[in-house]
Coordinates of all heavy atoms in Angstrom, one line a residue:
K95 N -4.3 -15.6 -1.6 CA -4.0 -14.2 -0.8 C -3.5 -13.2 -1.7 O -2.3 -12.7 -1.5 CB -3.3 -14.6 0.4 CG -3.8 -15.6 1.3 CD -2.9 -15.8 2.6 CE -3.6 -16.8 3.6 NZ -2.7 -17.0 4.7
H96 N -4.3 -12.8 -2.7 CA -3.7 -11.8 -3.7 C -3.5 -10.4 -2.9 O -2.6 -9.6 -3.3 CB -4.7 -11.5 -4.7 CG -4.9 -12.8 -5.6 ND1 -5.9 -13.7 -5.5 CD2 -4.0 -13.3 -6.6 CE1 -5.8 -14.6 -6.4 NE2 -4.6 -14.4 -7.0
Y97 N -4.3 -10.1 -1.9 CA -4.3 -8.8 -1.2 C -3.0 -8.7 -0.4 O -2.4 -7.6 -0.3 CB -5.5 -8.6 -0.4 CG -5.5 -7.2 0.3 CD1 -5.7 -6.0 -0.3 CD2 -5.3 -7.1 1.7 CE1 -5.7 -4.8 0.3 CE2 -5.3 -6.0 2.3 CZ -5.5 -4.8 1.7 OH -5.6 -3.6 2.3
A98 N -2.5 -9.7 0.2 CA -1.5 -9.6 1.2 C -0.1 -9.1 0.6 O 0.5 -8.2 1.2 CB -1.2 -11.0 1.8
P99 N 0.3 -9.6 -0.6 CA 1.6 -9.0 -1.1 C 1.5 -7.5 -1.5 O 2.4 -6.8 -1.4 CB 1.8 -9.8 -2.3 CG 1.0 -11.0 -2.2 CD -0.2 -10.6 -1.3
A100 N 0.3 -7.0 -1.8 CA 0.1 -5.7 -2.2 C -0.3 -4.7 -1.0 O -0.3 -3.5 -1.2 CB -1.0 -5.5 -3.3
Q101 N -0.4 -5.3 0.2 CA -0.9 -4.5 1.3 C 0.1 -3.4 1.7 O -0.2 -2.2 1.9 CB -1.1 -5.4 2.5 CG -2.0 -4.7 3.6 CD -2.4 -5.7 4.7 OE1 -2.1 -6.9 4.6 NE2 -3.1 -5.2 5.6
R102 N 1.4 -3.7 1.8 CA 2.4 -2.8 2.1 C 2.6 -1.6 1.1 O 2.7 -0.5 1.3 CB 3.8 -3.4 2.3 CG 4.9 -2.5 2.8 CD 6.1 -3.3 3.1 NE 5.9 -4.2 4.2 CZ 6.8 -5.0 4.6 NH1 8.1 -5.0 4.1 NH2 6.7 -5.8 5.6
Q103 N 2.6 -2.1 -0.2 CA 2.7 -1.1 -1.3 C 1.4 -0.2 -1.4 O 1.5 1.0 -1.6 CB 2.7 -2.0 -2.7 CG 3.0 -1.1 -3.9 CD 2.9 -1.9 -5.2 OE1 2.6 -3.1 -5.2 NE2 3.4 -1.3 -6.2
L104 N 0.3 -0.8 -1.1 CA -0.9 0.0 -1.1 C -0.9 1.1 0.1 O -1.3 2.2 -0.1 CB -2.1 -0.9 -0.9 CG -3.5 -0.2 -1.0 CD1 -3.8 0.5 -2.2 CD2 -4.6 -1.3 -0.7
A105 N -0.4 0.6 1.3 CA -0.4 1.6 2.4 C 0.6 2.7 2.1 O 0.3 3.8 2.4 CB 0.1 0.8 3.7
R106 N 1.7 2.4 1.4 CA 2.7 3.5 1.1 C 2.1 4.4 0.1 O 2.2 5.6 0.3 CB 3.9 2.8 0.5 CG 5.0 3.8 0.3 CD 6.3 3.2 -0.4 NE 6.7 2.0 0.3 CZ 6.7 0.8 -0.2 NH1 6.1 0.6 -1.3 NH2 7.1 -0.2 0.6
A107 N 1.3 3.9 -0.9 CA 0.7 4.8 -1.9 C -0.4 5.6 -1.3 O -0.6 6.8 -1.7 CB 0.1 3.9 -3.0
Q108 N -1.1 5.0 -0.4 CA -2.2 5.8 0.3 C -1.6 7.0 1.2 O -2.2 8.0 1.3 CB -3.1 4.9 1.2 CG -4.0 4.0 0.3 CD -4.7 3.0 1.2 OE1 -4.2 2.5 2.2 NE2 -5.8 2.5 0.7
R109 N -0.5 6.7 1.9 CA 0.2 7.7 2.6 C 0.6 8.9 1.8 O 0.6 10.0 2.1 CB 1.3 7.2 3.5 CG 0.8 6.3 4.7 CD 2.0 6.0 5.6 NE 3.1 5.4 5.0 CZ 3.2 4.0 4.9 NH1 2.4 3.3 5.6 NH2 4.3 3.5 4.4
N110 N 1.2 8.4 0.7 CA 1.7 9.4 -0.3 C 0.6 10.4 -0.8 O 0.8 11.5 -0.9 CB 2.4 8.7 -1.4 CG 3.1 9.7 -2.4 OD1 3.8 10.6 -2.0 ND2 2.9 9.5 -3.7
A111 N -0.5 9.8 -1.1 CA -1.7 10.4 -1.6 C -2.2 11.4 -0.5 O -2.6 12.6 -0.8 CB -2.7 9.5 -2.0
A112 N -2.2 11.0 0.7 CA -2.7 11.9 1.8 C -1.9 13.0 2.0 O -2.4 14.1 2.5 CB -2.8 11.0 3.1
R113 N -0.5 13.0 1.7 CA 0.3 14.1 1.9 C 0.3 15.2 0.9 O 0.7 16.4 1.1 CB 1.7 13.6 2.1 CG 2.1 12.9 3.4 CD 3.6 12.7 3.6 NE 4.1 11.8 2.6 CZ 4.4 10.5 2.7 NH1 4.1 10.0 3.9 NH2 4.9 9.9 1.7
K114 N -0.3 14.8 -0.3 CA -0.4 15.8 -1.3 C -1.4 16.9 -1.1 O -2.4 16.7 -0.5 CB -0.7 15.1 -2.7 CG 0.3 13.9 -3.0 CD 1.7 14.5 -3.2 CE 2.7 13.3 -3.7 NZ 4.1 13.8 -3.7
Q115 N -1.2 18.1 -1.7 CA -2.1 19.1 -1.5 C -3.4 18.8 -2.2 O -3.5 18.4 -3.3 CB -1.5 20.4 -2.1 CG -2.3 21.6 -1.8 CD -1.7 22.9 -2.4 OE1 -0.6 22.8 -2.8 NE2 -2.4 24.1 -2.3
K116 N -4.5 19.1 -1.5 CA -5.9 18.9 -2.0 C -6.2 19.6 -3.2 O -5.9 20.8 -3.3 CB -6.9 19.1 -0.9 CG -8.3 18.7 -1.3 CD -9.2 19.0 -0.2 CE -10.7 18.5 -0.6 NZ -11.6 18.8 0.5
G117 N -6.6 18.9 -4.3 CA -6.9 19.6 -5.6 C -5.7 19.8 -6.5 O -5.9 20.2 -7.6
S118 N -4.5 19.4 -6.1 CA -3.4 19.5 -7.0 C -3.3 18.4 -7.9 O -3.9 17.3 -7.8 CB -2.1 19.6 -6.2 OG -1.9 18.3 -5.5
K119 N -2.5 18.5 -9.0 CA -2.3 17.4 -10.0 C -1.5 16.3 -9.4 O -1.7 15.1 -9.7 CB -1.6 17.9 -11.2 CG -2.3 19.0 -12.1 CD -1.6 19.4 -13.2 CE -2.4 20.3 -14.2 NZ -1.6 20.8 -15.3
N120 N -0.6 16.6 -8.5 CA 0.2 15.6 -7.8 C -0.7 14.7 -7.0 O -0.5 13.4 -6.9 CB 1.3 16.2 -7.0 CG 2.4 16.8 -7.8 OD1 2.6 16.4 -8.9 ND2 3.1 17.8 -7.2
K121 N -1.7 15.2 -6.4 CA -2.6 14.4 -5.5 C -3.4 13.5 -6.4 O -3.7 12.4 -6.1 CB -3.5 15.3 -4.7 CG -4.4 14.5 -3.7 CD -5.1 15.4 -2.8 CE -6.0 14.7 -1.8 NZ -5.1 13.9 -0.8
A122 N -3.9 14.0 -7.6 CA -4.6 13.3 -8.5 C -3.8 12.1 -9.0 O -4.3 10.9 -9.2 CB -5.2 14.2 -9.7
K123 N -2.6 12.3 -9.3 CA -1.6 11.2 -9.8 C -1.4 10.2 -8.7 O -1.4 9.0 -9.0 CB -0.3 11.8 -10.2 CG -0.4 12.7 -11.5 CD 1.1 13.2 -11.8 CE 1.0 14.1 -13.0 NZ 2.4 14.7 -13.3
A124 N -1.3 10.7 -7.5 CA -1.1 9.7 -6.3 C -2.4 8.9 -6.2 O -2.3 7.7 -5.8 CB -0.7 10.4 -5.0
Q125 N -3.5 9.5 -6.3 CA -4.8 8.7 -6.2 C -4.9 7.7 -7.2 O -5.5 6.6 -7.1 CB -6.0 9.7 -6.1 CG -6.0 10.5 -4.8 CD -7.2 11.6 -4.9 OE1 -7.6 12.0 -6.0 NE2 -7.6 12.0 -3.8
V126 N -4.5 8.1 -8.5 CA -4.6 7.0 -9.6 C -3.7 5.9 -9.3 O -4.1 4.7 -9.6 CB -4.1 7.8 -10.9 CG1 -3.9 6.7 -12.0 CG2 -5.1 8.7 -11.3
R127 N -2.5 6.2 -8.6 CA -1.6 5.1 -8.2 C -2.3 4.1 -7.3 O -2.2 2.9 -7.4 CB -0.4 5.6 -7.6 CG 0.6 4.7 -7.0 CD 1.2 3.8 -8.1 NE 2.1 2.8 -7.5 CZ 2.6 1.7 -8.1 NH1 2.1 1.4 -9.3 NH2 3.4 1.0 -7.5
V128 N -3.1 4.6 -6.3 CA -3.8 3.8 -5.5 C -4.8 2.9 -6.1 O -4.9 1.8 -5.8 CB -4.5 4.7 -4.3 CG1 -5.3 3.8 -3.5 CG2 -3.4 5.4 -3.5
M129 N -5.6 3.6 -7.0 CA -6.6 2.9 -7.8 C -6.0 1.7 -8.6 O -6.6 0.6 -8.7 CB -7.4 3.8 -8.6 CG -8.3 4.8 -7.8 SD -9.5 5.7 -8.8 CE -8.2 6.9 -9.7
R130 N -4.8 2.0 -9.2 CA -4.2 1.0 -10.0 C -3.8 -0.3 -9.2 O -3.9 -1.4 -9.7 CB -2.9 1.5 -10.7 CG -3.3 2.5 -11.9 CD -2.1 3.1 -12.4 NE -2.3 3.9 -13.7 CZ -1.5 4.7 -14.3 NH1 -0.2 4.7 -13.9 NH2 -1.9 5.4 -15.4
I131 N -3.3 -0.1 -8.0 CA -3.0 -1.2 -7.1 C -4.3 -2.0 -6.8 O -4.2 -3.2 -6.8 CB -2.3 -0.7 -5.8 CG1 -0.9 0.1 -6.2 CG2 -2.0 -1.9 -4.9 CD1 -0.2 0.7 -5.0
H132 N -5.3 -1.2 -6.4 CA -6.6 -2.0 -6.1 C -7.1 -2.8 -7.3 O -7.5 -3.9 -7.2 CB -7.6 -0.9 -5.7 CG -7.6 -0.5 -4.3 ND1 -7.8 -1.5 -3.2 CD2 -7.4 0.7 -3.7 CE1 -7.7 -0.8 -2.1 NE2 -7.5 0.4 -2.3
R133 N -6.9 -2.2 -8.5 CA -7.4 -2.8 -9.7 C -6.6 -4.0 -10.0 O -7.1 -5.1 -10.5 CB -7.3 -1.8 -10.9 CG -7.8 -2.4 -12.2 CD -7.8 -1.3 -13.3 NE -6.4 -0.9 -13.6 CZ -6.1 0.1 -14.4 NH1 -7.1 0.7 -15.0 NH2 -4.9 0.5 -14.6
K134 N -5.2 -4.0 -9.8 CA -4.4 -5.1 -10.1 C -4.8 -6.3 -9.2 O -4.9 -7.5 -9.6 CB -2.9 -4.8 -9.8 CG -2.0 -5.9 -10.0 CD -0.5 -5.5 -9.8 CE 0.4 -6.7 -9.9 NZ 1.9 -6.3 -9.8
V135 N -5.0 -6.0 -7.9 CA -5.4 -7.1 -6.9 C -6.7 -7.6 -7.3 O -7.0 -8.9 -7.4 CB -5.5 -6.6 -5.5 CG1 -6.0 -7.6 -4.5 CG2 -4.1 -6.1 -5.0
R136 N -7.6 -6.8 -7.7 CA -9.0 -7.3 -8.1 C -9.0 -8.2 -9.3 O -9.7 -9.2 -9.4 CB -9.8 -6.2 -8.4 CG -11.4 -6.5 -8.7 CD -12.3 -5.3 -9.0 NE -11.9 -4.5 -10.1 CZ -11.3 -3.4 -10.2 NH1 -11.0 -2.8 -9.0 NH2 -11.1 -2.8 -11.3
R137 N -8.1 -7.8 -10.3 CA -8.0 -8.6 -11.6 C -7.4 -9.9 -11.3 O -7.7 -10.9 -11.8 CB -7.2 -7.8 -12.6 CG -8.0 -6.6 -13.2 CD -7.2 -5.9 -14.2 NE -8.0 -4.9 -15.0 CZ -7.5 -4.1 -15.9 NH1 -6.2 -4.2 -16.2 NH2 -8.3 -3.2 -16.5
Q138 N -6.4 -9.9 -10.5 CA -5.8 -11.2 -10.1 C -6.8 -12.2 -9.4 O -6.8 -13.3 -9.7 CB -4.5 -11.0 -9.1 CG -3.3 -10.3 -9.8 CD -2.3 -10.0 -8.9 OE1 -2.5 -9.8 -7.7 NE2 -1.1 -9.9 -9.3
R139 N -7.5 -11.6 -8.5 CA -8.5 -12.4 -7.7 C -9.6 -12.9 -8.7 O -9.9 -14.1 -8.7 CB -9.1 -11.6 -6.6 CG -10.2 -12.4 -5.8 CD -10.8 -11.5 -4.8 NE -9.9 -10.8 -3.9 CZ -9.8 -9.5 -3.9 NH1 -10.4 -8.7 -4.6 NH2 -8.9 -9.0 -3.0

């Protein structure tokens, strides 16, 4: 169950990305954070 431990962390990162202003550098950084969590779970699996 690789996804379960990362589910809370992923939800927090997704909320943080949703709050950032569209098109800003901070939003891009937050989206990268979300992708990194997904990538880590995928690689573990």
